[in-house]
Each structure stands twice: as structure tokens, then as C-alpha cells.
Amino acid sequence: MCKSLRPILTILAVFLTANLWAQSVKWSSTVEPLEGDSYRIVLEAAIPVPYHMYDMGPYEGGPNATVITFTPSEGIVLEGEVEQLTAPHRYFDKTYGMEIGTFEGKAQFAQRVRLTAAQASVTAAIEWMICDDTSCLPPDDTELTIAVPEGAAPAAEATPAAEIAPASAAAPAAKDAAGSGSLWSLIIEAILWGFAALLTPCVFPMVPMTVSYFLKGEGGAAMGRLRASLYGLFIVLLYTVPIAAIILITRIVGGDAVTADIFNWLATHWLPNILFFLVFMVFAASFFGAFEITMPSWMVNKTDSKADTKGIGGIFFLALTLVLVSFSCTGPIVGSVLIKSTSGEFWTPIITMLAFSVAFALPFTLFALFPSVLKKMPKSGGWLNSVKVVLGFIEVALGMKFLSVADQTYHWGILDREIYLAVWIVVFTLLGLYLLGKIRFAHDDEMHHLGVGRLALAIIVLSFVVYMIPGMWGAPLKGLSGYLPPITSQDFVLGANTASAAPAATSEGIDGKRKYSDFLHLPHGLEGFFDLEEAEAYAAKVGKPIFIDFTGHGCVNCREMEARVWSDPQVLEILRNDYVICALYSDDKKVLPEEDWVTTDAGKVLKSLGKINSYYALKTYGVNAQPYYVLQGHDGQPLIEPRGYDLDVAAFVDFLNRGKEAFAKKQ
């Protein structure tokens, strides 16, 4: 990664972490030596304002009391019970009809221990819940491992791995149930697209204009560096500020839920998805040479004329000219970057747009700083048109994803997996033939010989085609799982009906047909439920915990998890034999019968399956992104900490096994 980007990404990471931790209790520990071999372990909770945390209770039928369970290792013995060192504020709560105690700001708890060896450790499992005057966060938990030698140093501060947002609001800023890895992958992808945009035919010719402008600069080297830096900054702002303003305005006007609803609508509703599909097809036709897409000439000319002025205003209008002129090539890229990041998050689209614009602006900033670099750049010509045509093929392939999302969420059945694959196979075959010179477009120069670079690209593209072909008979194609429709939409899967196929669970004991199973299906031959009440009833009957899968038709990470993690034989065996699976689709547009409608706390009536499931995920677990996996017991509570997007198969197996163990302890 370019060194100049590291400070920016570091700042972003710190900013995200600060927002993620802002809404949670922070726990730390110290060890105090007492007489002889005795010690006192002190746990301290830092409680964020304006929340309060309940004391240790217990409260039968009341709020969730703080529970601290110490588990000693060999060589250490617990002495007595956990003590509350901080006196709670006690009062009679009319809601619960009992006297309760709460802590604000901070609270300390202690446990005496005695060493029977030179050193040992104690594990502290902590559960708690915090509330403000209007709402509560869902119960949370963490675990600390504390070393207990004489003079032991304080253990590192611990924070739960999955912070939970207030039920009355959307998830905290930058919280992504899809996992931190997905955000960083979006940032990296946006950076690569930003650099790639430089090679497009509408952007590359702007390089000489940039250099000629800054060659005329006056004021010495220091002023030149300032002007070049401002130029890059204006480019970044022109790309980032508009999307940030739209998100901020919607958040101020309607709150987090409105912002999430807008992005959910953009990502899953048929209208924007069909519109994006058509836009991508139009841009592809333009890249193929059918016509030229440009911003209105009066707008570009007026902006360009103001760029001739000196000072900061001239630099700003030069940057604006670049953004406007490059629109026809960067527009589809920007749209692709933004749509991939619209999972209901407040910060993700802004951060991905910032990453794209920084990468896009960086070369122009460097050219402005060092105009002599231009002499080493290749001249624009026929090679740029080839880049444009290649982008056209890619636009056709990527545009299919939008049509697929609409098809899946509305169950049209017009773009099943094999049809989608057939289109991609044809598109990339034609791209390979184009790179080999077998196909020419109107603005292409005649190719007298095949260069090594084009040959290498052709080999890569045609190898990709060969990789996709087995998918027509049901091959999983794990590398493309996030972009393809689910394999359950494919009419023919080789070997699916053989005796070796995995046995399916049954829904014995459930009255009538399982809800929504006529249009919703689980991958890999798994059977389960799509309604939580049905799943809970069946789980109680068969004595198994519930595996809740918050998923979505348009969720790329969900498909990737199913293809790369769920497909593992060990994972499949556990899911099939030890859990009752319940998949809750957060973007399905199926309108339910009136008796199944849900009225939110704000009085809004939710009628579609997706909105109801999305509201449940937000209200119960504080998440509005997928995938999100919850292992639930018969009491309706999570058995262990829920889990998001993570392709580590071994960790997922451990997650499932720990859920089984926690469920067994409750029985």
C-alpha cells in the first residue's frame, strides 16, 4: 500500500475504533496482595454517560443484574463470594415493582483468592446490562483472564468483541455485522478503483492540463506544494462531501433508522436496482463506442473558464473541471463503490468514497507537485480506447448483479444462477477474444501484432471462463459465491439427487407447512425455518438450540460465508444434527398477511417479511447488516456472543461447539 495512505487509514481505524467502543462498558482488573498467599482481584467497570448499570441483585422478574463468575485455574482457590466495593444507588422502581440498585460512572467488584502455587490465573466471566432514561442496550458479556503472582501487573483492559447498539437506534457508527474485514476489503477495493480510474480515456487526457496549469504557478517551491496539496484536497472533497451531506441530512431529519432505510431501499428495492442495471448497460454501450456520454458543455466550459483565474478559486475550479469531465468514466466506478457499501451503515459509504477519492486524487497531486513526471507518461491514443472497451465488458458483468438482487428479493425467477453464469461466460469469452484481437470496435486501432501484456490478460480472462463453466452443472465456484445467485436457484445440480446427498432435517412436530418455505431455501441441502416462532417451537420439541442466520438476498458476504464456511463438512454436520436453523431475510419484499404485520415502537406498521426481520434484528441485537449469527437457547437469549462475517472455518466450528456446550449447561 502506498506509504502516503497509511496515516490516513490509521486515522480512520482509530476513528472507527473510538466510535465502536463509545457505547460500551469497559472492564479492567487489578490484583492487590493481602496477607500471606492471599490476594484480592478488583474488577472495575467504566460506564459510559448517560447509562447506568444494574448491581448484582439478583432480581427475579426484574432487570438483568450484573453477574460475575470467577473460574480458578490449578494452583489457586477462591475465598468467599464476589463483593460489591462500590455502593449502588438504591431506589424503588415502579416499572419492575421492586427495589433495585444501579451504578453510574464506574463500579468496582472484588474477589479474594489464595495461591497454592507460585503463580496461577483466574478467568472472570462478566454479564451486564446498561440503560439510560429511555431505553436499554441488550445484555452484554465479556471474559477476562487475570494472572495472580505477587505484584502482578493489571490485566489489559477488555472490551466485548461485539458491541451492541441501543434498541431504539441503528447500530453504532461503523458497526458492521459483516465484520471488520469486509470494511477493509471495501476500502482496499475502492483504492484500487481510484488508481484504475486514472487509465480511463476521460481521465488520462486531463493529466497534461493539470501539469500545464501548475507549470505556470508562481510563488516558489513552498507555494507550489501548497497549491498542489489544495488541488488534491478539493478533488477528495468534491467526491466525498456530497455523499456525506446526503447521509448526514437524512440522519438529522429522520434519525439513524431513516438513513438505514434509505440505504436498504437503495440496495434491495427493484426500482434503484433496475435503474443501476440500466445505467451500467448504458455506460457499457458508451464504452463500446455506441455514443459518448459527457457532462453538459455549458457546465464544463463555464467551470473551465473559472479555472484560469489565479489563487485558491482557480485551483478549486480546476479540480471541479476534472471531476465533471471524468464523470463519464468515473460515474459507474463511483456507483459500484457506493452500492457495495450501502448495507445500512452511516460511515461505510463515506469511508469507501473517501478511500476512492484519495487514490484518484493522489496521482494528480503528484503530477502537480512534480510536473516533469509527465515526460515519462505514455501518450494517450488507441491503448486508452482498449482500456475503455475492457471496462465496457466489466460494466456488463457487474451490472448483472443489480438485476440479480431485484430478481432475488422479489422472487421473479428470471435470472437464476445458470442464466447469470451463462451471461458471464459469454461476456468474458468475448473479452478474451477482444484481447486476442479477434474482435474490433469502431474506435480501435488496427492491431498488427499481439503484445505480451494483452496475451497475459487474455490468458487470465479465458482461464476465468474455464473456471466458471462447471458452475453450469452446480459446481460451488467459491471464489464467486458473493456475486452469484444462490445455488438453490439453479434448476440442475449434478449429483444433488444421489444417495450421497446430505440427509435433510425434517419439520416434524410443526403444524402445517413451514412459513415461507415455498420461496425461501437454505443452501447445501439444509432444512430449517424462516420464521422464528416456528423455529422456537420446533427447537423446544426436539431439545436443540437455534442457529439464527440474519441474512439477505443481496448480501454478498452471506453468500460467501455459505459457500466457504457452511460448506465445510464439519460445519454442515453440526448445523444439520445439533441445531435448528432459522434464516431471517432482512431484505425480502414479500408482503405478509395482515395478522403477521408488526407495529414498531414509533407506531410504524411493517408489512413485508424483510422489514419485520430487519426491525427484529435492530431492536433485539442492535444490528442492521448481514450476515449475523446468533445461537439461541430455549429462553430466547443468546447462548454465547453472536458472530458476524468471518471466513475462518475453524473459528466458526468453535463458535458452534461453544454454543452447544452453553446450551447443555442450561439443560
Side-chain angles (χ1 to χ4, degrees):
M1 184 180 296
C2 180
K3 290 183 178 180
S4 63
L5 290 175
R6 290 178 183 171
I8 296 174
L9 294 179
T10 301
I11 292 171
L12 287 176
V14 172
F15 182 75
L16 285 174
T17 304
N19 275 276
L20 188 63
W21 285 5
Q23 299 291 336
S24 177
V25 174
K26 312 294 191 306
W27 289 89
S28 59
S29 66
T30 55
V31 179
E32 300 175 354
L34 302 176
E35 69 281 352
D37 294 327
S38 295
Y39 295 84
R40 185 170 75 162
I41 300 172
V42 178
L43 301 179
E44 181 170 300
I47 306 165
V49 177
Y51 293 97
H52 58 263
M53 183 176 76
Y54 296 102
D55 68 357
M56 298 184 67
Y59 301 114
E60 185 68 29
N64 289 64
T66 299
V67 178
I68 302 176
T69 305
F70 286 93
T71 304
S73 66
E74 186 176 350
I76 195 168
V77 177
L78 303 181
E79 294 187 332
E81 302 294 329
V82 180
E83 305 174 59
Q84 295 185 155
L85 298 185
T86 304
H89 167 61
R90 305 198 66 83
Y91 62 96
F92 185 83
D93 189 285
K94 295 180 180 179
T95 302
Y96 294 112
M98 64 178 70
E99 185 180 85
I100 61 174
T102 61
F103 302 108
E104 294 182 0
K106 71 175 183 178
Q108 289 187 330
F109 307 85
Q111 171 69 56
R112 288 176 61 100
V113 297
R114 178 172 53 84
L115 277 176
T116 60
Q119 61 180 17
S121 64
V122 174
T123 299
I126 313 168
E127 301 175 17
W128 72 93
M129 185 172 76
I130 57 176
C131 302
D132 59 17
D133 293 335
T134 60
S135 62
C136 294
L137 276 70
D140 214 337
D141 62 88
T142 191
E143 193 172 273
L144 298 176
T145 300
I146 305 151
V148 192
E150 185 175 0
E157 183 177 300
T159 302
E163 307 292 353
I164 304 297
S168 59
K175 182 179 187 300
D176 189 356
S180 59
S182 65
L183 176 59
W184 282 105
S185 66
L186 284 170
I187 290 173
I188 293 171
E189 183 176 346
I191 290 172
L192 294 176
W193 275 117
F195 287 133
L198 178 68
L199 299 177
T200 57
C202 4
V203 177
F204 193 83
M206 294 294 294
V207 174
M209 178 177 136
T210 297
V211 175
S212 63
Y213 180 89
F214 284 95
L215 279 174
K216 297 182 292 185
E218 300 176 356
M223 181 57 70
R225 287 193 293 271
L226 176 62
R227 286 155 53 85
S229 300
L230 286 173
Y231 181 52
L233 177 63
F234 287 143
I235 295 173
V236 171
L237 292 177
L238 285 167
Y239 274 107
T240 307
V241 170
I243 182 65
I246 293 172
I247 295 174
L248 185 60
I249 290 170
T250 59
R251 191 181 195 189
I252 292 174
V253 172
D256 290 348
V258 171
T259 305
D261 284 346
I262 290 174
F263 281 127
N264 180 268
W265 183 83
L266 280 172
T268 63
H269 195 274
W270 71 268
L271 181 59
N273 275 282
I274 295 298
L275 180 61
F276 292 136
F277 167 73
L278 294 175
V279 166
F280 268 59
M281 296 304 108
V282 169
F283 273 106
S286 174
F287 286 173
F288 290 146
F291 46 82
E292 193 69 28
I293 299 176
T294 59
M295 295 296 285
S297 58
W298 63 267
M299 183 183 297
V300 177
N301 293 337
K302 188 172 183 179
T303 305
D304 189 42
S305 65
K306 292 187 178 182
D308 292 333
T309 62
K310 294 183 179 180
I312 295 178
I315 298 173
F316 171 79
F317 282 106
L318 179 67
L320 182 58
T321 301
L322 170 63
V323 172
L324 293 177
V325 170
S326 62
F327 169 77
S328 62
C329 289
T330 59
I333 296 174
V334 170
S336 180
V337 169
L338 286 177
I339 291 303
K340 289 194 68 176
S341 64
T342 53
S343 59
E345 299 297 330
F346 177 81
W347 288 107
T348 305
I350 299 174
I351 292 170
T352 50
M353 196 69 263
L354 177 63
F356 169 84
S357 58
V358 167
F360 179 72
L362 183 61
F364 286 95
T365 306
L366 293 176
F367 293 142
L369 283 169
F370 310 106
S372 60
V373 174
L374 179 63
K375 297 177 182 179
K376 301 179 182 180
M377 295 289 292
K379 304 300 180 183
S380 59
W383 69 276
L384 278 178
N385 191 72
S386 297
V387 172
K388 198 173 182 179
V389 171
V390 170
L391 285 175
F393 282 110
I394 294 175
E395 290 292 311
V396 172
L398 293 179
M400 299 300 295
K401 177 62 179 174
F402 300 113
L403 182 59
S404 173
V405 169
D407 181 63
Q408 291 297 315
T409 55
Y410 288 90
H411 311 292
W412 294 338
I414 61 175
L415 195 61
D416 291 343
R417 187 174 185 266
E418 66 270 26
I419 299 175
Y420 191 102
L421 271 173
V423 173
W424 270 40
I425 290 170
V426 170
V427 166
F428 284 100
T429 299
L430 292 175
L431 174 56
L433 294 175
Y434 174 78
L435 291 170
L436 292 173
K438 303 300 181 181
I439 300 174
R440 284 179 57 193
F441 287 85
H443 302 294
D444 283 325
D445 293 338
E446 186 175 355
M447 188 172 65
H448 299 288
H449 64 277
L450 182 64
V452 175
R454 289 182 73 116
L455 177 61
L457 286 175
I459 291 173
I460 293 172
V461 170
L462 293 175
S463 298
F464 179 56
V465 171
V466 174
Y467 168 76
M468 288 190 290
I469 290 175
M472 296 294 291
W473 290 274
L477 304 182
K478 293 183 180 181
L480 293 175
S481 55
Y483 298 92
L484 299 177
I487 199 168
T488 53
S489 69
Q490 189 149 333
D491 293 333
F492 174 73
V493 177
L494 189 64
N497 297 318
T498 64
S500 61
T506 67
S507 56
E508 180 184 355
I510 299 296
D511 295 334
K513 187 177 180 181
R514 287 169 296 137
K515 284 185 176 180
Y516 322 127
S517 60
D518 55 332
F519 59 89
L520 295 177
H521 308 279
L522 292 173
H524 309 301
L526 292 167
E527 287 293 332
F529 299 83
F530 307 98
D531 177 81
L532 186 56
E533 289 186 3
E534 282 191 350
E536 289 173 337
Y538 182 66
K541 179 181 178 64
V542 298
K544 294 181 180 181
I546 303 174
F547 175 86
I548 303 177
D549 170 26
F550 289 103
T551 185
H553 297 292
C555 173
V556 173
N557 289 337
C558 302
R559 302 292 84 76
E560 196 169 11
M561 283 291 295
E562 292 164 2
R564 298 192 180 192
V565 179
W566 289 34
S567 62
D568 180 82
Q570 194 173 358
V571 173
L572 278 175
E573 182 180 3
I574 296 173
L575 289 177
R576 182 175 295 114
N577 299 324
D578 301 323
Y579 283 93
V580 172
I581 304 173
C582 180
L584 301 180
Y585 281 81
S586 298
D587 58 2
D588 196 276
K589 305 302 179 183
K590 176 72 173 180
V591 176
L592 303 184
E594 187 172 351
E595 61 268 18
D596 292 331
W597 293 356
V598 170
T599 302
T600 69
D601 294 338
K604 182 179 180 180
V605 178
L606 305 179
K607 302 179 181 180
S608 71
L609 178 62
K611 286 187 176 181
I612 292 171
N613 287 336
S614 181
Y615 174 69
Y616 174 76
L618 186 62
K619 182 176 180 179
T620 308
Y621 298 105
V623 295
N624 54 18
Q626 304 86 40
Y628 196 69
Y629 305 113
V630 178
L631 305 182
Q632 179 181 299
H634 294 168
D635 58 358
Q637 298 299 315
L639 295 167
I640 58 174
E641 180 183 295
R643 184 179 181 85
Y645 173 81
D646 189 334
L647 296 177
D648 188 334
V649 175
F652 199 80
V653 171
D654 178 66
F655 167 69
L656 295 175
N657 285 331
R658 286 190 294 114
K660 286 164 48 182
E661 293 169 3
F663 178 75
K665 289 179 181 178
K666 286 189 173 184
Q667 301 309 301

